[in-house]
Amino acid sequence: MSNNNFIVRKVAVLGAGVMGAQIAAHLVNANVETLLFELPAKQDDLNANVAKAIENLKKQEPAPFSIATKAANIQLANYDQHLELLKDCDIVIEAIAERMEWKTELYKKVAPNLGAHTIFASNTSGLSINQLAQAFPKNLRNRFCGIHFFNPPRYMHLVELIACEDSDAAILDDLENFLVTYLGKGVIRAKDTPNFIANRVGVFSMLATMHHAKESGLSFDLVDALTGPLIGRPKSATFRTADVVGLDTLAHVINTMRDTLPDDPWHRYFAVPDWLQCLINKGSLGQKTKCGIYQKVGKDIHVLDLATQKYRLSTGNCDDEIKELLKRKNPEEKLATLHENHHPQAQFLWAIFRDVFHYCAVHLATIADNARDLDLAIRWGFGWNQGPFEIWQASGWSKIAVWINEDIAAGKSLSTTPLPTWVLETERSGVHTKFGSYAPSTKTERPRSTLPVYRRQLFPDRLLGEETQYGKTIFETDAVRMWHTGDDIAIISFKSKMHTIGNDVLDGIQQAIEEAERNWHSLVIWQTEPPFSAGANLRKATERLKNSGPPSTFSLLAKKLNKVTQSAVLKIARNLNLANALMAGKLAEVETMIAQFQQTSQDLKYSMIPTVAAVDGLALGGGCEFVMHCDRTVATLESYIGLVEVGVGLLPAGGGCKELALRAAQNAKENDPFIQLKNYFKTVATAQMAKSAEQAKELGYLRPADQVVMNRFELLHAAKAQAHALVEAGYRPPLKARKFPVAGSTGIATLKSLLVNMLEGDYISEHDYLIGSKVAYVMCGGNLTTGSLVDEDWFLKLERTAFIELLATEKTQARVEHMLKTGKPLRN
């Protein structure tokens, strides 16, 4: 039976392969004491195999660890020496290769060493949990279950939890609570059927796409252009996804479906295509071998051409007519047009939608408890914007059902199996309602789980048909909304694109602070959808931004730039729209806006009520500066925080430089802040992005007292808890730092000498040198004697002046314009 208070002190992972090692990495990301087991090495150091696996983790991208130092927290273990350590583990996760005989042999070996209350879970992508359970002594099977992490475990939200016939229900509840809050996962209870829910549907969708691509004569890159973001799926689309997953892994899942689902009406399509098997035989397994369906040649991406069996440059452009069709906002109109349009690409798309709808309807009753679980599994596991049933419902349920039936009758669909009767009920308009999602077993709408852990999700991931009302409005403008959920905490959310910050948002924040000081106990900045904020914005709130994605480290002081971060800096350039302001001769107007920005930052810091920033996703530039000025920040692990203004030839001027200088001074020894300040200078001068909330602490964007949460849907709950704690502790704003020491001219000279060396080595341009020198001048407090005492206003004035001076240069203007036009940084 479950304990009243389920505490996980230690977890063991068995198997240091691709998945096992990454699961262990994510456990230590969550500060869980973790042992990683592997076969003993045939050398003096029996732990050499597991040590090598951890070293490989450090080289992987995207990084499995939230910060590099987490790697040292994984405890090395092998099966010859350390099995007795399992008795102290609360959870043991087996993650060895997907071979039934290997797994069962391992179970027999480790079972005698498990503790009296240890939960044992097999990480499998589709093997039978009940069959695996037979390898356990009968008295231990109540603590056995399946647990399916998706790759990469740090970033993929989905975990499927599968009970065996003997699994204790309370133990599964405990495990779900742990996975949701402490590992940040979206848990779906799957039935013990081959490949469970996500892989069953997702891989079928890939197989159907491959079949129709062959029938239509469409190339791999053209199919990926059609089946990616244009239809609400990830950029990796179909064939790039296969490369990322691993072609051998994909083949294994397909073969599992073939071997274990002989009665599936679509069984004849469960076969590894000849071309795919040929690639596997050659060792071209996709991303992990740097060659698969795609391969990189220099800076270019090449794709396999089936006709020639050779690689060619990937173009991947779909027909303009189809592209425009797919951009339509009305889903019902969009799918109807695909159905009616005779263009081969349109008919291809209609066919893949039709077949996945058909498959999901026929199999829902056997693979999932309800339609919500199936849709969320595909959204969380395969990255679709909407699940199959959501797309169907949004596109006109009854009409689509009629068209599917017509295609079945005409022999166009991949199976002649009829749609279930519930699909065709005359009153049915879909499967998702405000009351719940359709469950075939009970023929009712099943509400969401009532486990206590979900009380922490004030606004869970919403499905089509569910109604979400974000509290009660206090006031609302075109730019912001201030609201509450029935307690004494006020919340402000931005309404601008990418939650960028212009004068209207600044006005709204200042109004919210005044309102909160009068009538509320605290103020939380939380966005109903990520990101937190892409930074300052002088364009109208209707400006459309592009190139969304998590940032990585950016440096104009280096010769090569990370493409993902270029995208982030492009957002800043577009947001600022500085070129237009300059052309209109509005430098004074820009300076006024900067002064208002600085004042708003200071208001957040010194208001009479506590302010809490609830951060998820991007917090760039001015967004980062707001984070730095709030009394407390609560951030999801996957928060990407940074001052990136240098990327377009500017510097942070919303109080960011000031705040880092102040923090360096507060930690200074012998009145010299330079030791800490030089690290902050490097962070700002290279526009360095934190790749996680934990790294944001290392870089100084977040403070040690700021909180990191694992599950983004618990963020608001945690932020409000921090606000309550500050209030209950008798909150008073910090006293203004009247005077604090600066690094001064000596610090400036030291930093400029570093820049000179980089300039002479041709690592930076003369304009890079100018920008870096301005950053050094501001952060060191100007040409003052080291240790001179200044106040915050002094630094804020330095920020404004340096920002405008850079803005007035032709080369910064050229950088901004180049970024806007090309999406790439200019090194001039």
Side-chain angles (χ1 to χ4, degrees):
M1 293 297 293
S2 168
N3 296 320
N4 290 332
N5 192 16
F6 181 64
I7 296 175
V8 177
R9 291 183 171 85
K10 186 182 297 186
V11 175
V13 178
L14 309 182
V18 173
M19 283 300 292
Q22 289 193 82
I23 291 169
H26 193 55
L27 285 162
V28 295
N29 286 342
N31 294 327
V32 176
E33 187 176 350
T34 304
L35 289 81
L36 181 58
F37 279 77
E38 187 48 274
L39 293 169
K42 295 179 181 179
Q43 56 193 73
D44 291 340
D45 181 9
L46 297 183
N47 283 332
N49 288 339
V50 70
K52 182 179 179 181
I54 294 173
E55 286 303 309
N56 289 336
L57 284 176
K58 297 176 183 178
K59 304 172 187 175
Q60 289 184 24
E61 286 293 338
F65 295 107
S66 58
I67 49 175
T69 54
K70 290 282 187 180
N73 295 112
I74 298 179
Q75 300 176 41
L76 283 59
N78 66 79
Y79 300 117
D80 281 4
Q81 295 177 303
H82 304 120
L83 285 179
E84 71 279 359
L85 298 179
L86 295 176
K87 70 178 185 298
D88 296 323
C89 294
D90 301 289
I91 301 172
V92 174
I93 300 173
E94 169 271 308
I96 66 171
E98 293 281 85
R99 294 279 295 272
M100 181 73 71
E101 65 274 20
W102 293 0
K103 288 178 182 286
T104 56
E105 181 181 348
L106 179 61
Y107 297 173
K108 293 173 183 177
K109 186 174 183 177
V110 303
N113 297 278
L114 299 178
H117 302 288
T118 302
I119 297 174
F120 192 99
S122 173
N123 181 68
T124 173
S125 60
L127 296 180
S128 170
I129 301 304
N130 280 298
Q131 189 175 344
L132 287 170
Q134 298 307 308
F136 264 76
K138 190 169 181 59
N139 65 316
L140 297 182
R141 291 177 196 166
N142 68 311
R143 293 185 272 129
F144 179 82
C145 66
I147 186 171
H148 180 204
F149 286 86
F150 275 65
N151 189 27
R154 171 183 163 185
Y155 301 94
M156 296 303 292
H157 190 59
L158 177 64
V159 169
E160 292 175 313
L161 195 58
I162 313 97
C164 71
E165 292 176 356
D166 297 312
S167 296
D168 187 313
I171 284 177
L172 263 69
D173 289 348
D174 285 339
L175 191 53
E176 183 166 350
N177 290 341
F178 172 74
L179 290 166
V180 170
T181 290
Y182 298 101
L183 297 191
K185 297 305 174 187
V187 174
I188 297 296
R189 299 286 186 102
K191 296 183 179 182
D192 187 21
T193 56
N195 289 347
F196 313 127
I197 301 174
N199 275 346
R200 179 76 174 272
V201 174
V203 173
F204 169 78
S205 177
M206 294 178 73
L207 288 171
T209 300
M210 291 177 185
H211 169 80
H212 290 298
K214 181 180 178 182
E215 293 293 305
S216 303
L218 304 182
S219 65
F220 294 143
D221 51 343
L222 175 54
V223 170
D224 278 353
L226 289 167
T227 60
L230 283 175
I231 61 170
R233 299 183 189 179
K235 291 181 180 179
S236 56
T238 301
F239 293 105
R240 285 184 186 275
T241 294
D243 269 354
V244 172
V245 169
L247 301 187
D248 54 339
T249 301
L250 175 61
H252 170 78
V253 176
I254 294 171
N255 289 332
T256 299
M257 294 175 72
R258 178 199 64 201
D259 297 340
T260 58
L261 295 167
D263 298 326
D264 191 299
W266 286 264
H267 182 266
R268 66 192 179 101
Y269 298 101
F270 300 165
V272 178
D274 292 341
W275 60 264
L276 178 56
Q277 190 60 56
C278 183
L279 286 172
I280 294 170
N281 293 342
K282 290 193 297 186
S284 300
L285 305 180
Q287 185 170 284
K288 57 189 172 186
T289 60
K290 299 183 179 180
C291 183
I293 299 169
Y294 292 89
Q295 69 171 352
K296 193 170 184 179
V297 180
K299 295 182 179 180
D300 297 322
I301 302 298
H302 287 229
V303 63
L304 180 66
D305 188 314
L306 283 181
T308 64
Q309 290 296 306
K310 296 180 180 179
Y311 288 89
R312 60 164 175 79
L313 185 66
S314 175
T315 54
N317 292 319
C318 61
D319 188 274
D320 288 341
E321 175 192 346
I322 303 301
K323 187 179 294 185
E324 290 304 311
L325 188 162
L326 294 174
K327 289 180 180 178
R328 295 182 184 179
K329 297 297 184 183
N330 186 318
E332 191 167 352
E333 178 187 331
K334 185 188 304 183
L335 213 58
T337 307
L338 288 177
H339 175 258
E340 296 162 3
N341 193 312
H342 294 293
H343 192 293
Q345 294 176 21
Q347 285 301 295
F348 163 77
L349 288 170
W350 159 249
I352 66 173
F353 278 120
R354 174 201 64 212
D355 289 330
V356 77
F357 294 161
H358 189 188
Y359 192 83
C360 291
V362 169
H363 288 299
L364 174 61
T366 56
I367 68 174
D369 176 73
N370 60 75
R372 176 180 52 252
D373 286 353
L374 189 150
D375 274 350
L376 289 179
I378 295 300
R379 280 168 48 170
W380 295 343
F382 280 78
W384 293 19
N385 291 347
Q386 290 184 308
F389 286 126
E390 288 184 287
I391 299 170
W392 184 352
Q393 182 170 326
S395 302
W397 183 272
S398 298
K399 183 168 57 178
I400 298 293
V402 169
W403 292 341
I404 294 172
N405 264 344
E406 290 174 350
D407 281 4
I408 293 172
K412 294 181 180 179
S413 61
L414 298 185
S415 170
T416 58
T417 302
L419 289 169
T421 55
W422 62 264
V423 172
L424 304 169
E425 292 168 351
T426 54
E427 70 279 7
R428 182 169 298 283
S429 59
V431 292
H432 302 303
T433 73
K434 62 182 180 180
F435 303 107
S437 296
Y438 184 71
S441 61
T442 59
K443 298 182 180 179
T444 60
E445 279 72 41
R446 186 90 74 193
R448 287 179 176 265
S449 171
T450 57
L451 283 179
V453 68
Y454 293 110
R455 297 174 196 158
R456 299 170 59 87
Q457 297 189 12
L458 304 182
F459 302 100
D461 203 355
R462 182 177 56 183
L463 285 161
L464 182 75
E466 292 183 319
E467 297 178 355
T468 298
Q469 176 60 44
Y470 291 103
K472 185 175 181 180
T473 300
I474 300 170
F475 77 81
E476 186 168 10
T477 70
D478 290 340
V480 304
R481 177 174 177 253
M482 186 180 188
W483 52 285
H484 68 94
T485 59
D487 53 19
D488 53 12
I489 296 176
I491 302 163
I492 185 170
S493 303
F494 304 167
K495 297 165 64 177
S496 52
K497 293 289 185 179
M498 298 295 289
H499 304 132
T500 51
I501 306 161
N503 294 89
D504 49 359
V505 172
L506 295 174
D507 290 340
I509 295 172
Q510 290 175 332
Q511 182 180 346
I513 293 171
E514 293 174 3
E515 165 65 23
E517 287 183 332
R518 286 193 302 267
N519 298 311
W520 304 88
H521 286 179
S522 54
L523 179 65
V524 173
I525 305 176
W526 178 79
Q527 315 298 1
T528 57
E529 295 289 341
F532 178 78
S533 175
N537 181 15
L538 295 181
R539 292 195 180 199
K540 295 181 179 179
T542 56
E543 171 72 18
R544 295 183 60 86
L545 302 180
K546 300 178 181 179
N547 300 328
S548 178
S552 183
T553 304
F554 179 92
S555 175
L556 277 180
L557 305 183
K559 291 183 177 180
K560 295 182 179 180
L561 301 176
N562 183 288
K563 288 184 178 179
V564 179
T565 304
Q566 292 176 20
S567 171
V569 174
L570 174 59
K571 293 190 188 77
I572 293 299
R574 285 184 170 136
N575 294 344
L576 288 170
N577 195 20
L578 296 172
N580 291 346
L582 285 166
M583 285 184 230
K586 295 182 179 178
L587 281 177
E589 185 177 313
V590 174
E591 185 170 9
T592 299
M593 186 265 192
I594 294 170
Q596 184 186 9
F597 209 120
Q598 292 178 336
Q599 184 59 54
T600 305
S601 295
Q602 293 293 86
D603 290 346
L604 286 169
K605 183 174 182 178
Y606 292 114
S607 65
M608 295 306 297
I609 43 91
T611 56
V612 178
V615 180
D616 181 37
L618 301 174
L620 305 180
C624 176
E625 287 171 308
F626 280 172
V627 167
M628 295 171 69
H629 283 82
C630 284
D631 293 299
R632 189 78 78 246
T633 296
V634 181
T636 62
L637 184 71
E638 301 310 323
S639 293
Y640 304 88
I641 303 172
L643 299 172
V644 299
E645 289 85 349
V646 165
V648 285
L650 296 164
L651 54 70
C657 292
K658 176 268 299 181
E659 199 63 20
L660 289 175
L662 175 58
R663 293 177 188 183
Q666 290 171 336
N667 296 323
K669 294 182 179 180
E670 298 180 0
N671 216 36
D672 183 4
F674 185 75
I675 295 176
Q676 182 65 55
L677 190 67
K678 66 180 180 181
N679 294 325
Y680 290 154
F681 166 78
K682 179 181 177 182
T683 297
V684 175
T686 60
Q688 191 168 0
M689 300 281 187
K691 296 180 180 180
S692 69
E694 294 284 3
Q695 190 182 23
K697 287 190 175 186
E698 289 187 335
L699 296 177
Y701 296 136
L702 297 184
R703 297 150 296 195
D706 290 333
Q707 299 295 307
V708 178
V709 300
M710 302 298 286
N711 196 315
R712 61 176 293 256
F713 297 107
E714 295 184 355
L715 176 62
L716 182 57
H717 168 86
K720 292 178 70 174
Q722 285 293 309
H724 273 301
L726 289 169
V727 171
E728 292 300 317
Y731 174 81
R732 292 287 301 176
L735 292 174
K736 290 189 178 181
R738 299 294 180 187
K739 298 286 183 179
F740 56 94
V742 299
S745 54
T746 301
I748 296 170
T750 304
L751 296 178
K752 287 179 103 173
S753 68
L754 298 175
L755 294 171
V756 167
N757 290 336
M758 298 189 77
L759 179 63
E760 292 178 350
D762 197 32
Y763 289 103
I764 62 173
S765 68
E766 289 186 1
H767 195 57
D768 292 327
Y769 175 80
L770 173 64
I771 298 165
S773 297
K774 293 290 185 184
V775 173
Y777 183 86
V778 172
M779 296 190 72
C780 290
N783 285 316
L784 300 176
T785 303
T786 299
S788 296
L789 300 179
V790 301
D791 59 15
E792 290 181 80
D793 289 339
W794 173 267
F795 270 95
L796 293 174
K797 183 177 180 180
L798 292 179
E799 284 184 357
R800 291 195 304 274
T801 302
F803 187 94
I804 295 301
E805 287 173 350
L806 287 172
L807 190 55
T809 64
E810 291 184 4
K811 289 190 174 182
T812 283
Q813 294 172 36
R815 289 191 178 197
V816 173
E817 290 189 39
H818 188 269
M819 180 70 79
L820 287 167
K821 290 178 181 178
T822 69
K824 297 179 181 179
L826 174 67
R827 187 169 183 255
N828 56 2

